[in-house]
Each structure stands twice: as structure tokens, then as C-alpha cells.
Amino acid sequence: MMVDSRFYSEPVLLSVSELAEVTGSSVHGDNTRIISGVAPLDEAKGTDLTFFDNPAYKQSFINSRAGVICVHFDKQVIAPKDSSLLLSNIILN
């Protein structure tokens, strides 16, 4: 299916390493993974980017199938094994 450019632009595809460079994050996991979308923790797929910062969503984080998750350094020990992590030392809440 082609995107109708009158209404939508073509999606921008970024690798994890490119996103890490732009955000100043470090990467844990596959830094060549390509990101093509953004989704909530519980809906994200292998090509989606999501984030975790609220402890109320801890179980969604642990069970997430996201390709890439933005997360604080101290949460990497409970992160899904198949996800790449963009690690930051910024705490949002």
C-alpha cells in the first residue's frame, strides 16, 4: 500500500544508534535495529519505539515486545531480553 503524499509523509526510518546519537542516550542491545513507529508499551511490536518511566506500568514494561524502549539506566535489569534499550539518566517523574 502506498502512502498518499497529499495527506501523509513517508515514515522516517531510524536505527537505534541514530536515535541514541540524537538523544544523547547509550544503547544496550542491537543498535542496528530499525525503528518505524511509536506505540504504548503493551501494544508495541519489534519495529516500534516506546518508553518506560512510570512504576504503575512495570508489568507492561517487563512483558513488552517493543523493538526499542527508552528507559532509565536502573531499569535495564528488568527489561525484556529481546528489546534494544536507549538508556538515560534522566528521571521524568
Side-chain angles (χ1 to χ4, degrees):
M1 181 171 141
M2 297 223 11
V3 173
D4 188 334
S5 62
R6 294 175 297 172
F7 301 104
Y8 304 100
S9 60
E10 290 289 328
V12 175
L13 303 178
L14 293 172
S15 70
V16 174
S17 62
E18 290 171 319
L19 191 56
E21 185 177 329
V22 170
T23 62
S25 302
S26 60
V27 178
H28 176 78
D30 181 1
N31 68 349
T32 64
R33 188 183 303 241
I34 300 297
I35 304 163
S36 62
V38 177
L41 278 168
D42 59 346
E43 295 177 20
K45 301 178 297 280
T47 57
D48 290 329
L49 168 70
T50 192
F51 75 97
F52 171 66
D53 73 329
N54 186 333
Y57 297 99
K58 179 179 177 181
Q59 201 57 48
S60 292
F61 172 58
I62 292 168
N63 295 326
S64 182
R65 295 183 176 203
V68 185
I69 304 173
C70 298
V71 66
H72 189 270
F73 282 98
D74 67 357
K75 302 295 187 254
Q76 69 182 336
V77 295
I78 62 169
K81 301 292 184 236
D82 294 333
S83 296
S84 295
L85 304 178
L86 285 173
L87 300 170
S88 172
N89 61 359
I90 299 172
I91 298 174
L92 300 176
N93 55 3

